Amino acid sequence: LTDRSGIKIEVDDPITEAAKLVDEGYIVAVKGIGGFHLAALASLDDVVLELRRRKGREEKPFALMALDISVAEKIAEVNQVHRELLTSPEKPIVLIPIREGAAVSKFVAPGLNTIGIELAYTPLHYLLLGNTRDKYLIMTSGNYSGEPMCVSNEEALRKLGKIADYFLMHNRKIVNRVDDSVIRLTYGKPVFIRRSRGYAPSWFKLPIELKKSVIAFGAMLQSTAAVALEQYAIPTQFIGDVEDYETLNFLEGALNFLIKSYGVDVKNSILACDLHPSYLSTRLAEEWSKTHEIPLIKVQHHHAHIASAMASFNLPLDEEVVGIAMDGVGYGVDGCIWGGEVLRASYSSFERVGMLEYHVMPGGDAATNYPFRMLMSILSKSLSEQELIELATKYQHALPRGVQEAYVVLKQVKQGAPKTSSTGRVLDAVSALLDICFFRSYEGEPAMKLEAFSKLSDDVSFKTSIKQVNGVYAVDTASLVKDAYEMLMEGYDPKAIGGAFQYAIGKALGEIAVKVAKRNNEHVVISGGAAVNDFIIKGVCDALQNFSCEVLLPSKVPVNDGGISLGQIMVALANAMKM
């Protein structure tokens, strides 16, 4: 046990002393088996808020670690599936509905109705928790937000000294950084949010034996990389958002770890990456391709999503599916930002047959960070400029510069670019409309809070309109958002509006899948970050309930960008066979 300067504190039992310090409201950095955690009381608002301030983590939920299953059941509504996951050898974090009246600060997971819980998975954690008053603590990654988790004692003291008050450390070297895995239930079944400790690197058997190894660099957000050799694909542990040098370095290090461990001959390999030219992972792949003089295959983002899901079910190489890919952002082949797509796809190729209609993203990334911008953009198709300014006046707090900024947003909408078909941006707009979230402080926040806020009710439903644009079916989301706006003005329950809207998005995409499926399309495959949404998946499944296709939602690989690297492996493999 040391203080934040690294000076050793002489005590008989460092673990018991660390538990006392946590109970007194201090933040303690704890070295585990895959990296450092930050441990703190989850039951005191002041402690949780101080941890948020020091860590630079405004709203993103913190995970909790509980001593055992009986402690977890005191703070969350644990069902049988949750119990099996929590007590499994892998010991993931499981997102579970919070129990009413639980002694958990509202600042642990602001605006959400679930909390992430894992059970103590090492003797150190068990002894630490056993000596605390609550028997559960915040146990969040030991890093500044956006950076990889610290793994060495020296690095932790240097980087976490302004966050943690004390350090509980051991002298075992962590040779492979690995975060905790995260799982939630969608439509009653487990799906990965983060596939890492306990699950990676485990293998996916491929439908063919490889002549050359494949190395995939993944995407950008919530990312992983992967290698494939002989008859197996091996994704890395969770890497995170590849937006800075440190995370990019982690990505390259994780790839080199697998390459060394499995004896991959890089010179006799094929590389695969995302189509997006600005992703740091794409640039790294280009650098490897140039350095090693080996081929690089660039894979469209949503094609990779569908190929990943297909591979997770071990579908054969000649299989063709209808794929529904729903997420926040992916670079489209037309230069627009995709994210609400229906594809007729095989491993080797795809055809876009359906989509959510395009909307302008006023200000580009600003429209992602401030959802009210997307709301104004979508409503501009049905409301006058005066009506939109009146709406902005009513929602004064929705834009940093208030109504003045609204005038700028309308000018940007008229400029007409960039355009997006993103499911995430439409959900963001409705999240703002229903006064749920006006600033995105972490990936998926507006949509996650919208899902937590919403409910289904017989009193509210939406009529969807699907039109054809240049031979591609498009969901008229502008009309859906306008209907939601009018219902809200008429006094309908906002929770019911939110639930019905999300359900309608899923149902419309499912209806397109029915329209475009051929007789040989035996499966409808669902993937993308928004594919964890209960309301949307119920809508898709209801639309397909009388259809002969089997609906497949992956449970072995993340549906978010954590699964992209596996999809890139499969697309590269299928295309390499044509060379």
Side-chain angles (χ1 to χ4, degrees):
L1 183 68
T2 78
D3 65 13
R4 57 175 40 153
S5 302
I7 297 171
K8 187 176 178 181
I9 299 169
E10 297 295 342
V11 290
D12 292 335
D13 185 347
I15 298 173
T16 302
E17 190 65 28
K20 288 179 184 175
L21 291 166
V22 171
D23 277 349
E24 290 170 14
Y26 292 105
I27 297 166
V28 178
V30 180
K31 187 180 185 182
I33 56 173
F36 275 79
H37 284 109
L38 293 166
L41 286 175
S43 52
L44 288 185
D45 290 352
D46 289 350
V47 173
V48 180
L49 288 171
E50 180 62 14
L51 177 58
R52 288 201 175 280
R53 186 190 68 77
R54 292 187 193 180
K55 201 172 191 283
R57 187 164 173 160
E58 295 175 62
E59 295 266 317
K60 190 175 182 180
F62 287 130
L64 307 185
M65 183 182 281
L67 179 68
D68 54 33
I69 192 69
S70 64
V71 174
E73 288 173 334
K74 290 177 183 176
I75 56 176
E77 300 284 356
V78 179
N79 66 24
Q80 185 57 32
V81 181
H82 297 139
R83 173 186 285 268
E84 290 170 4
L85 290 166
L86 285 168
T87 58
S88 69
E90 293 83 2
K91 294 287 195 299
I93 296 168
V94 185
L95 304 188
I96 308 173
I98 189 167
R99 184 175 290 280
E100 190 174 345
V104 175
S105 168
K106 63 184 178 182
F107 300 109
V108 165
L112 302 177
N113 55 3
T114 58
I115 48 175
I117 302 177
E118 62 184 333
L119 300 189
Y121 57 84
T122 74
L124 170 60
H125 292 119
Y126 191 83
L127 292 169
L128 178 68
L129 288 161
N131 282 289
T132 62
R133 67 179 202 196
D134 293 336
K135 305 295 186 279
Y136 60 90
L137 297 173
I138 288 174
M139 199 68 71
T140 189
S141 299
N143 58 358
Y144 274 106
S145 289
E147 292 186 4
M149 188 166 50
C150 295
V151 290
S152 73
N153 295 356
E154 297 74 24
E155 180 190 26
L157 287 166
R158 186 175 73 252
K159 290 189 173 182
L160 304 180
K162 292 183 179 178
I163 303 177
D165 300 298
Y166 295 93
F167 289 76
L168 183 64
M169 303 185 288
H170 54 74
N171 61 2
R172 293 184 66 187
K173 184 179 180 181
I174 296 173
V175 296
N176 191 32
R177 178 190 286 115
V178 58
D179 273 283
D180 296 325
S181 295
V182 183
I183 295 178
R184 64 162 279 173
L185 301 190
T186 294
Y187 213 45
K189 296 179 181 178
V191 293
F192 275 108
I193 303 296
R194 183 196 295 170
R195 182 180 177 274
S196 205
R197 179 189 50 76
Y199 299 93
S202 54
W203 303 349
F204 287 90
K205 191 168 184 180
L206 303 176
I208 190 171
E209 188 149 347
L210 305 186
K211 293 179 180 177
K212 284 190 170 187
S213 301
V214 183
I215 302 169
F217 288 76
M220 182 174 75
L221 302 175
Q222 309 271 314
S223 198
T224 64
V227 301
L229 68 163
E230 298 177 2
Q231 208 171 345
Y232 300 96
I234 308 130
T236 67
Q237 69 274 43
F238 171 79
I239 301 297
D241 296 349
V242 188
E243 296 181 297
D244 54 48
Y245 174 75
E246 292 221 350
T247 314
L248 184 69
N249 197 38
F250 177 24
L251 170 73
E252 189 169 28
L255 269 177
N256 282 323
F257 183 85
L258 291 183
I259 286 166
K260 182 180 178 182
S261 298
Y262 291 98
V264 175
D265 181 2
V266 176
K267 290 285 186 184
N268 191 38
S269 298
I270 297 165
L271 306 181
C273 69
D274 197 273
L275 190 63
H276 200 301
S278 297
Y279 282 180
L280 293 183
S281 56
T282 300
R283 293 179 180 181
L284 180 63
E286 290 169 341
E287 186 181 298
W288 275 45
S289 177
K290 186 177 179 181
T291 301
H292 297 289
E293 298 179 336
I294 52 178
L296 171 62
I297 295 173
K298 295 186 177 181
V299 182
Q300 199 282 324
H301 190 87
H302 300 95
H303 185 202
H305 267 309
I306 300 306
S308 168
M310 292 171 67
S312 76
F313 287 99
N314 202 30
L315 298 186
L317 270 181
D318 59 354
E319 182 88 15
E320 185 185 85
V321 303
V322 174
I324 300 175
M326 305 170 284
D327 62 4
V329 56
Y331 192 75
V333 295
D334 59 357
C336 293
I337 300 163
W338 290 11
E341 316 305 321
V342 182
L343 310 178
R344 194 183 286 123
S346 64
Y347 289 119
S348 62
S349 64
F350 73 94
E351 177 191 5
R352 188 196 207 187
V353 290
M355 58 184 284
L356 301 185
E357 71 172 313
Y358 278 131
H359 299 292
V360 176
M361 286 181 68
D365 285 346
T368 303
N369 294 326
Y370 296 97
F372 194 80
R373 284 175 163 262
M374 279 308 305
L375 178 63
M376 290 188 69
S377 175
I378 297 171
L379 286 176
S380 70
K381 294 184 178 181
S382 54
L383 300 187
S384 69
E385 184 169 319
Q386 183 58 38
E387 287 173 312
L388 289 168
I389 293 301
E390 287 174 4
L391 184 66
T393 304
K394 182 179 178 182
Y395 287 76
Q396 279 275 357
H397 52 305
L399 295 169
R401 294 167 186 83
V403 178
Q404 279 184 313
E405 187 170 338
Y407 284 105
V408 175
V409 170
L410 290 175
K411 285 182 181 178
Q412 291 171 329
V413 171
K414 288 176 183 176
Q415 289 169 0
K419 290 182 178 177
T420 182
S421 58
S422 164
T423 304
R425 299 297 77 79
V426 175
L427 297 178
D428 290 356
V430 174
S431 188
L433 174 67
L434 300 180
D435 201 15
I436 298 166
C437 185
F438 295 108
F439 174 69
R440 187 198 70 146
S441 67
Y442 61 89
E443 175 67 18
E445 179 182 0
M448 288 169 61
K449 288 184 173 178
L450 173 63
E451 184 187 10
F453 172 83
S454 302
K455 68 177 184 181
L456 288 177
S457 168
D458 293 336
D459 298 330
V460 179
S461 63
F462 288 85
K463 185 178 179 181
T464 54
S465 171
I466 298 170
K467 50 198 176 184
Q468 272 195 303
V469 180
N470 299 323
V472 177
Y473 289 102
V475 181
D476 182 1
T477 48
S479 293
L480 287 174
V481 175
K482 181 188 175 229
D483 290 346
Y485 164 76
E486 290 177 346
M487 287 179 186
L488 188 66
M489 296 303 109
E490 290 167 15
Y492 283 85
D493 181 0
K495 292 179 180 290
I497 294 171
F501 183 90
Q502 293 164 87
Y503 175 85
I505 292 289
K507 196 160 190 288
L509 291 169
E511 287 168 354
I512 292 176
V514 172
K515 290 177 185 289
V516 302
K518 295 178 179 178
R519 286 185 179 178
N520 63 331
N521 298 143
E522 296 179 5
H523 301 104
V524 173
V525 175
I526 308 173
S527 190
V532 300
N533 182 299
D534 268 324
F535 298 102
I536 292 176
I537 296 303
K538 177 173 171 51
V540 173
C541 292
D542 284 357
L544 291 159
Q545 63 182 343
N546 297 320
F547 198 56
S548 57
C549 286
E550 185 181 4
V551 180
L552 301 179
L553 178 67
S555 60
K556 295 179 181 177
V557 64
V559 292
N560 61 26
D561 285 8
I564 287 283
S565 61
L566 177 61
Q568 290 171 348
I569 293 276
M570 295 308 303
V571 175
L573 162 63
N575 280 283
M577 291 175 65
K578 296 178 181 179
M579 293 177 180

PDB file of all heavy atoms in Angstrom, residues 182-193:
ATOM      1  N   VAL A 182     -18.107  -6.948 -20.805  1.00  0.00           N
ATOM      2  CA  VAL A 182     -19.424  -6.393 -20.455  1.00  0.00           C
ATOM      3  C   VAL A 182     -20.494  -7.065 -21.313  1.00  0.00           C
ATOM      4  O   VAL A 182     -20.357  -7.149 -22.538  1.00  0.00           O
ATOM      5  CB  VAL A 182     -19.478  -4.866 -20.677  1.00  0.00           C
ATOM      6  CG1 VAL A 182     -20.833  -4.307 -20.233  1.00  0.00           C
ATOM      7  CG2 VAL A 182     -18.354  -4.165 -19.929  1.00  0.00           C
ATOM      8  N   ILE A 183     -21.559  -7.540 -20.644  1.00  0.00           N
ATOM      9  CA  ILE A 183     -22.663  -8.218 -21.324  1.00  0.00           C
ATOM     10  C   ILE A 183     -23.982  -7.632 -20.832  1.00  0.00           C
ATOM     11  O   ILE A 183     -24.126  -7.270 -19.665  1.00  0.00           O
ATOM     12  CB  ILE A 183     -22.632  -9.738 -21.035  1.00  0.00           C
ATOM     13  CG1 ILE A 183     -21.369 -10.361 -21.638  1.00  0.00           C
ATOM     14  CG2 ILE A 183     -23.873 -10.445 -21.562  1.00  0.00           C
ATOM     15  CD1 ILE A 183     -21.206 -11.842 -21.363  1.00  0.00           C
ATOM     16  N   ARG A 184     -24.957  -7.523 -21.728  1.00  0.00           N
ATOM     17  CA  ARG A 184     -26.312  -7.142 -21.349  1.00  0.00           C
ATOM     18  C   ARG A 184     -27.284  -8.137 -21.973  1.00  0.00           C
ATOM     19  O   ARG A 184     -26.907  -8.938 -22.840  1.00  0.00           O
ATOM     20  CB  ARG A 184     -26.655  -5.723 -21.796  1.00  0.00           C
ATOM     21  CG  ARG A 184     -26.668  -5.502 -23.294  1.00  0.00           C
ATOM     22  CD  ARG A 184     -27.430  -4.238 -23.680  1.00  0.00           C
ATOM     23  NE  ARG A 184     -28.871  -4.452 -23.706  1.00  0.00           N
ATOM     24  CZ  ARG A 184     -29.770  -3.488 -23.889  1.00  0.00           C
ATOM     25  NH1 ARG A 184     -29.381  -2.235 -24.061  1.00  0.00           N
ATOM     26  NH2 ARG A 184     -31.056  -3.759 -23.910  1.00  0.00           N
ATOM     27  N   LEU A 185     -28.520  -8.090 -21.541  1.00  0.00           N
ATOM     28  CA  LEU A 185     -29.561  -8.898 -22.165  1.00  0.00           C
ATOM     29  C   LEU A 185     -30.324  -8.028 -23.153  1.00  0.00           C
ATOM     30  O   LEU A 185     -30.739  -6.914 -22.837  1.00  0.00           O
ATOM     31  CB  LEU A 185     -30.531  -9.461 -21.124  1.00  0.00           C
ATOM     32  CG  LEU A 185     -29.938 -10.358 -20.032  1.00  0.00           C
ATOM     33  CD1 LEU A 185     -31.061 -11.015 -19.232  1.00  0.00           C
ATOM     34  CD2 LEU A 185     -28.998 -11.402 -20.605  1.00  0.00           C
ATOM     35  N   THR A 186     -30.485  -8.515 -24.364  1.00  0.00           N
ATOM     36  CA  THR A 186     -31.322  -7.868 -25.371  1.00  0.00           C
ATOM     37  C   THR A 186     -32.368  -8.861 -25.814  1.00  0.00           C
ATOM     38  O   THR A 186     -32.022  -9.980 -26.243  1.00  0.00           O
ATOM     39  CB  THR A 186     -30.482  -7.402 -26.571  1.00  0.00           C
ATOM     40  OG1 THR A 186     -29.593  -6.368 -26.148  1.00  0.00           O
ATOM     41  CG2 THR A 186     -31.366  -6.859 -27.685  1.00  0.00           C
ATOM     42  N   TYR A 187     -33.618  -8.481 -25.662  1.00  0.00           N
ATOM     43  CA  TYR A 187     -34.728  -9.379 -26.008  1.00  0.00           C
ATOM     44  C   TYR A 187     -34.593 -10.689 -25.239  1.00  0.00           C
ATOM     45  O   TYR A 187     -34.904 -11.767 -25.716  1.00  0.00           O
ATOM     46  CB  TYR A 187     -34.749  -9.615 -27.520  1.00  0.00           C
ATOM     47  CG  TYR A 187     -36.138  -9.801 -28.102  1.00  0.00           C
ATOM     48  CD1 TYR A 187     -37.192  -8.969 -27.741  1.00  0.00           C
ATOM     49  CD2 TYR A 187     -36.383 -10.811 -29.029  1.00  0.00           C
ATOM     50  CE1 TYR A 187     -38.453  -9.135 -28.284  1.00  0.00           C
ATOM     51  CE2 TYR A 187     -37.636 -10.990 -29.583  1.00  0.00           C
ATOM     52  CZ  TYR A 187     -38.679 -10.158 -29.199  1.00  0.00           C
ATOM     53  OH  TYR A 187     -39.941 -10.324 -29.737  1.00  0.00           O
ATOM     54  N   GLY A 188     -34.037 -10.570 -24.003  1.00  0.00           N
ATOM     55  CA  GLY A 188     -33.921 -11.710 -23.105  1.00  0.00           C
ATOM     56  C   GLY A 188     -32.679 -12.560 -23.282  1.00  0.00           C
ATOM     57  O   GLY A 188     -32.461 -13.503 -22.518  1.00  0.00           O
ATOM     58  N   LYS A 189     -31.833 -12.226 -24.282  1.00  0.00           N
ATOM     59  CA  LYS A 189     -30.660 -13.056 -24.550  1.00  0.00           C
ATOM     60  C   LYS A 189     -29.373 -12.252 -24.360  1.00  0.00           C
ATOM     61  O   LYS A 189     -29.339 -11.057 -24.647  1.00  0.00           O
ATOM     62  CB  LYS A 189     -30.726 -13.607 -25.977  1.00  0.00           C
ATOM     63  CG  LYS A 189     -31.917 -14.537 -26.198  1.00  0.00           C
ATOM     64  CD  LYS A 189     -31.967 -15.041 -27.633  1.00  0.00           C
ATOM     65  CE  LYS A 189     -33.171 -15.954 -27.845  1.00  0.00           C
ATOM     66  NZ  LYS A 189     -33.256 -16.423 -29.251  1.00  0.00           N
ATOM     67  N   PRO A 190     -28.285 -12.904 -23.910  1.00  0.00           N
ATOM     68  CA  PRO A 190     -27.024 -12.188 -23.670  1.00  0.00           C
ATOM     69  C   PRO A 190     -26.392 -11.695 -24.971  1.00  0.00           C
ATOM     70  O   PRO A 190     -26.332 -12.436 -25.960  1.00  0.00           O
ATOM     71  CB  PRO A 190     -26.125 -13.255 -23.019  1.00  0.00           C
ATOM     72  CG  PRO A 190     -27.049 -14.333 -22.556  1.00  0.00           C
ATOM     73  CD  PRO A 190     -28.211 -14.318 -23.494  1.00  0.00           C
ATOM     74  N   VAL A 191     -25.936 -10.457 -24.967  1.00  0.00           N
ATOM     75  CA  VAL A 191     -25.149  -9.912 -26.077  1.00  0.00           C
ATOM     76  C   VAL A 191     -23.952  -9.161 -25.484  1.00  0.00           C
ATOM     77  O   VAL A 191     -24.050  -8.552 -24.423  1.00  0.00           O
ATOM     78  CB  VAL A 191     -25.970  -8.962 -26.987  1.00  0.00           C
ATOM     79  CG1 VAL A 191     -27.046  -9.706 -27.740  1.00  0.00           C
ATOM     80  CG2 VAL A 191     -26.570  -7.812 -26.201  1.00  0.00           C
ATOM     81  N   PHE A 192     -22.835  -9.209 -26.197  1.00  0.00           N
ATOM     82  CA  PHE A 192     -21.622  -8.537 -25.734  1.00  0.00           C
ATOM     83  C   PHE A 192     -21.697  -7.039 -26.013  1.00  0.00           C
ATOM     84  O   PHE A 192     -22.045  -6.606 -27.103  1.00  0.00           O
ATOM     85  CB  PHE A 192     -20.389  -9.068 -26.459  1.00  0.00           C
ATOM     86  CG  PHE A 192     -19.803 -10.309 -25.861  1.00  0.00           C
ATOM     87  CD1 PHE A 192     -19.921 -11.525 -26.511  1.00  0.00           C
ATOM     88  CD2 PHE A 192     -19.119 -10.257 -24.657  1.00  0.00           C
ATOM     89  CE1 PHE A 192     -19.368 -12.668 -25.972  1.00  0.00           C
ATOM     90  CE2 PHE A 192     -18.568 -11.394 -24.101  1.00  0.00           C
ATOM     91  CZ  PHE A 192     -18.691 -12.613 -24.761  1.00  0.00           C
ATOM     92  N   ILE A 193     -21.336  -6.247 -25.024  1.00  0.00           N
ATOM     93  CA  ILE A 193     -20.988  -4.847 -25.219  1.00  0.00           C
ATOM     94  C   ILE A 193     -19.468  -4.748 -25.384  1.00  0.00           C
ATOM     95  O   ILE A 193     -18.958  -3.993 -26.200  1.00  0.00           O
ATOM     96  CB  ILE A 193     -21.436  -3.984 -24.018  1.00  0.00           C
ATOM     97  CG1 ILE A 193     -22.938  -4.123 -23.773  1.00  0.00           C
ATOM     98  CG2 ILE A 193     -21.044  -2.520 -24.226  1.00  0.00           C
ATOM     99  CD1 ILE A 193     -23.805  -3.602 -24.892  1.00  0.00           C
TER     100      ILE A 193
END
